[in-house]
Every structure is written in structure tokens, then in C-alpha cells.
Amino acid sequence: MGGGECTRDQDRSTGGAPGGEPPQRPRDARETRARILGAAGAVFAERGYEAATVRDIAARAGVNQALIFRYFGSKKALVTEVMAQDGKEQLSTTPPERLFETALRGVLTEGGGAGADRLLAVYLRSIGSADAAPETVRALGEEYAAALASLSEADDSTLRAQLAMAWLLGIGLMRVVVGQEPLASAAPDAVCAHVLTALNRLLPVLPGGEAGAGDAGTEEARPGVRS
Amino acid sequence: MGGGECTRDQDRSTGGAPGGEPPQRPRDARETRARILGAAGAVFAERGYEAATVRDIAARAGVNQALIFRYFGSKKALVTEVMAQDGKEQLSTTPPERLFETALRGVLTEGGGAGADRLLAVYLRSIGSADAAPETVRALGEEYAAALASLSEADDSTLRAQLAMAWLLGIGLMRVVVGQEPLASAAPDAVCAHVLTALNRLLPVLPGGEAGAGDAGTEEARPGVRS
DNA sequence: ATTATCTATAGATCTATAGATAATGC
DNA sequence: ATTATCTATAGATCTATAGATAATGC
């Protein structure tokens, strides 16, 4: 039957100088909840929904595994909250006309691990998992597409917007998840320039649209906006 | 103390007319192996690497679950063989200049479930799984990109080719895995036209490149080659 | 006799829960 | 007294293997 073998749930700082940081934090439900949410975002982004275990998340948050269920109910509810939070943050803080390039640069710079790019990593690594809140994922994607589509007047503007977002996802897939070279370590500006130039025909309203006004230069694309 | 509870591994045709097809096939190692491989491709494509269980695969193949390990050694080896087989098939039967559009149309038409589009479904649904033969996945992707890049003379032709493939993957993701509307049920010709037109600036050698030779019409893109 | 197939189960997870313990607030 | 946290484990998988059984080929 089930073997109880909990060696350690939190490391309690047995590392460098003894007595460095207090391993016993004051009890605070709100902070614990926040710690779990933060750790969950990181672990889900690194490993994807299925491979990330609640024990991993608890260990990174420095809390007991049972607290995850106390505060969130289930693993699925946890990932749903992570994605919804990160998504709403980006959607509310970024104006539609900058949404695409901001998201693209988020994928390209990576590393930082802020809220927004983390969302995409979670999304990408969890997309194959049937349990990973597919409705949340779809709803979020539709909100992004709707924001982008609001910029265009073409009658198939939503389709165009979704195609642009599909490219974003695909680039993230190749770069972050698969790590395919040379794309994985290509200069963000170079990738951004290629993509915005090509998309100029699909969504002329995006920045970078004024690139080749007179001559449709395939080679000369300006290196995008430096963030 | 695992519970042995094998109810039924193969259905043995208890369905319509009694004695329809012989439930007891003649023993044939090669055919059994082939049946497993076919069933594995289908189940991996439907559910992805992690969610697909060897029992599912055995049930669909109509064989005992233990035979999978006898013939392939491990689940990982099985998915590796599925992907490698499907990939080599497409790479060897499709000339480089038709590779992109063929793959794109494969994603867009779906349903058929032939060898090539199945590969992409397996790829997409399994990409988040660390165990799902990441080396095979990467190697296969690099072969595709190399084939595409051989068409271009730009010094960053491989990067351009990978960006094009990234779009392909992203469209597959949105359409096949996420099922986002309106992209999921958009007409293949319309999607194909948008994509090939936009990519005209990135990889001018692709078909559809001659679209807007004089005027760069954003709206009028010819509906691609009908397969 | 050889080899394909099946039975039974080991062994290793993982999510989730019930109930005990210990820190807080009054 | 209340509430945050921890212990222990139920219950449900899943991959993989060892060894038994039954169909083939000589």
C-alpha cells in the first residue's frame, strides 16, 4: 500500500552560514498562497503541467504539499489560476497595438521569467495535456486574438490575428521547448525583424509595417524597436 | 502489491454477427509488430506521449500489452520509432520545394490520418513531455529545416526556414491541439494563401511567391495549389 | 523444439484526504 | 479557540518483467 516516505519537504536552509535566514517563517495564509502560486508558475513553466508534481511545487515554495490542496483544491485548479493571473496581467497592461511585439520579445528574451513570458512557457509545455485546463487556455488565446483583431478592418481579421499568434506560439515552441538551432540562439532583433516584415502583409497595422514602403526589400528589414 | 485486474485486452469481436471475423489471428511476429506500430501512431497522435498508455495502444492493436515491451523494449523506444518512421517517409517522398506546402496542407486537412500529418500531431501533443524522445524530435526538425533552407541563398537561410516551420507548428497547435476558432475550421485554401503570401518575403522560393509580383495586394492572394 | 502470446504482479509513482500537531489571536 | 501546518496513508495509476501457456515449424 502507499509508502509514507517524506524525506524533506522544505530545505530549511542547511546551506552556508548556520542561522542565516529564519527557516521558520511566521504563519501567514496569504503569503503562503502567494508563494505556492509563484512556485507553481515557475515549475509549470519549466516542466509542463503533467511533469510538474505538486511535491515539486511545494518543495520550491518551501511549504508542505498538503497546503496546495488546502489553498487551491486541486492541481488543475492551481494551473488554471496561474495561467489566468499571468494572462490577465499582460492583457490589461499592454495596449493592443503593442501586444504582439511585446509577446514576441517576451518569447525571444526569455530568461527574465516575468509574468507574461512565463505564461507562454506554461502554455506551450502543457498544451498536450488534456487535463491542463484546456478551456482556460482557449479562452485566453481568444482574448489575445480578439485584442489583436480589433486593430484590423479586414473581414477575416480574427483569422489573421490568430495566424499571427500561431507564429508566436510556434517560435516559442522551437526556441523555448525544443531548443532548435540556430533559432534558439538567434538575436531577438533579427527574428523580430523577419517576423514583423513578413506579417506586414497579414496585419498591416503592426509596428514594422512601414518597413519597405516603396521597395519590397526581402533582405533589408530594420531591426525592430529596441525595447 | 499491484492489483492484477486485466478485464480484457482485445475485444475479440463480440459485436454484430457472431463469427464475423476470426478473433484469433494467425501468429505472426512481423504483423503484430506492425499492428503495434500503427496503433501507437494513432494513439500518440490523439493523446500525446504521456497521456497515451501502453495499454491503450495494445488494446487498439488488439494485442497483449506485454508484447509491446517484447517487440520495442520501452514506451520511449516505441514513440521514437513511430516518429522516425513517419518523418523519414515524408522527407524521402517530398521534394524540398513542396515540403512546406505539403506539410501545411497536411495540418490543414487533418482527418485523413496518413503518415505525415500524424507525425505532426504526435510531435505537437508530445512536445511538452521530457521523455518523448527529444533528440529524435530535434533531429527530425533539423532535417526538415535543412531541406527547406537548401532552397534559399540568404546567409541566414536556416533561420528563415526554421521560422517558416515554426509557423507551421504554431498553426497546427492552434488548429489541431487547441482547436481555436475561427482558425480551427477555416478553409485550408484561405489559410494557405495568407501564409504563403506572408512568407513570400521570408522565403521567396516557396510556391505562392509569384502572387503579387506587381502590386503587393494584401487581400488578393491566390488560393494555392489544389492538391 | 521453438517462439508467439498471455497471466500475474513487482515496484514506483502521483494526487488527494483525514486527522494530528503547533502556532497564532483573543 | 481558531487556524495554519504537518504526518501518514488511501487509492489509483502506469511501465516493465518473470514465468506460464499455447500455437507453430521441423
Side-chain angles (χ1 to χ4, degrees):
Chain A
M1 318 285 171
E5 199 205 339
C6 298
T7 43
R8 73 214 124 104
D9 264 348
Q10 48 190 89
D11 248 34
R12 296 200 175 250
S13 74
T14 47
E21 275 184 336
Q24 201 81 337
R25 278 184 302 280
R27 295 187 162 193
D28 183 344
R30 271 219 319 206
E31 194 195 298
T32 297
R33 216 190 110 99
R35 289 177 66 87
I36 291 171
L37 210 55
V43 177
F44 282 135
E46 280 174 17
R47 310 194 197 164
Y49 178 74
E50 288 199 68
T53 69
V54 292
R55 289 181 183 175
D56 291 335
I57 294 167
R60 172 154 333 187
V63 307
N64 187 281
Q65 169 235 33
L67 293 182
I68 290 181
F69 297 97
R70 177 154 190 81
Y71 289 125
F72 295 92
S74 70
K75 186 185 176 186
K76 183 174 178 175
L78 178 58
V79 78
T80 299
E81 192 150 339
V82 166
M83 297 184 96
Q85 180 184 270
D86 286 358
K88 283 188 179 171
E89 182 193 331
Q90 175 156 16
L91 277 169
S92 66
T93 60
T94 312
E97 64 271 16
R98 304 190 67 192
L99 197 57
F100 185 83
E101 187 169 355
T102 300
L104 178 56
R105 292 212 169 254
V107 177
L108 294 174
T109 50
E110 194 191 356
D117 9 342
R118 207 178 61 180
L119 168 66
L120 202 75
V122 175
Y123 190 115
L124 290 172
R125 286 191 207 272
S126 308
I127 215 153
S129 314
D131 291 349
E135 292 172 21
T136 305
V137 157
R138 202 167 320 171
L140 215 53
E142 275 165 18
E143 283 189 69
Y144 271 81
L148 259 187
S150 72
L151 299 173
S152 169
E153 288 167 358
D155 61 338
D156 60 346
S157 62
T158 306
L159 177 61
R160 289 164 186 261
Q162 284 186 351
L163 283 173
M165 288 200 36
W167 206 355
L168 198 67
L169 290 184
I171 292 169
L173 209 66
M174 291 279 248
R175 216 175 141 105
V176 179
V177 183
V178 180
Q180 201 133 44
E181 296 296 350
L183 176 54
S185 46
D189 279 345
V191 173
C192 210
H194 277 319
V195 171
L196 290 178
T197 302
L199 283 184
N200 186 21
R201 288 207 182 163
L202 197 66
L203 285 170
V205 289
L206 290 182
E210 326 86 50
D215 54 333
T218 311
E219 299 296 327
E220 286 296 309
R222 62 142 214 232
V225 184
R226 34 184 93 183
S227 55
Chain B
M1 344 235 137
E5 199 206 338
C6 299
T7 42
R8 75 213 123 107
D9 265 347
Q10 48 189 91
D11 247 34
R12 299 204 172 246
S13 75
T14 46
E21 275 184 334
Q24 201 81 338
R25 279 182 303 279
R27 296 189 162 191
D28 183 343
R30 273 216 322 203
E31 192 195 300
T32 297
R33 217 189 110 99
R35 288 177 68 87
I36 292 170
L37 209 56
V43 176
F44 282 135
E46 279 175 18
R47 310 194 196 163
Y49 178 75
E50 289 199 67
T53 69
V54 294
R55 288 180 183 176
D56 291 335
I57 294 168
R60 173 156 332 189
V63 306
N64 187 281
Q65 169 235 33
L67 294 182
I68 289 180
F69 297 97
R70 176 153 190 82
Y71 289 126
F72 295 91
S74 71
K75 187 185 176 186
K76 184 174 178 176
L78 177 58
V79 77
T80 300
E81 191 150 338
V82 167
M83 298 183 95
Q85 181 185 270
D86 285 359
K88 284 189 178 171
E89 181 192 331
Q90 176 156 16
L91 278 169
S92 67
T93 60
T94 313
E97 64 270 16
R98 305 192 66 191
L99 198 56
F100 185 83
E101 187 170 353
T102 300
L104 178 56
R105 293 212 166 254
V107 176
L108 294 174
T109 51
E110 193 191 358
D117 10 341
R118 208 178 62 180
L119 167 66
L120 203 75
V122 175
Y123 190 114
L124 289 172
R125 285 191 208 272
S126 307
I127 215 153
S129 314
D131 291 348
E135 292 172 21
T136 305
V137 158
R138 201 166 322 169
L140 215 53
E142 276 165 18
E143 284 189 69
Y144 271 81
L148 259 188
S150 71
L151 299 173
S152 169
E153 287 167 1
D155 62 337
D156 60 346
S157 61
T158 305
L159 177 62
R160 288 163 186 261
Q162 284 186 353
L163 283 173
M165 286 200 34
W167 207 353
L168 198 67
L169 289 185
I171 292 169
L173 209 65
M174 291 279 248
R175 217 175 141 106
V176 179
V177 182
V178 181
Q180 201 133 44
E181 295 296 350
L183 176 55
S185 47
D189 280 345
V191 174
C192 210
H194 277 319
V195 171
L196 289 179
T197 301
L199 284 184
N200 187 21
R201 286 207 182 164
L202 196 67
L203 284 171
V205 289
L206 290 181
E210 326 87 51
D215 54 333
T218 311
E219 298 296 327
E220 287 295 309
R222 62 141 214 231
V225 184
R226 32 186 94 181
S227 53

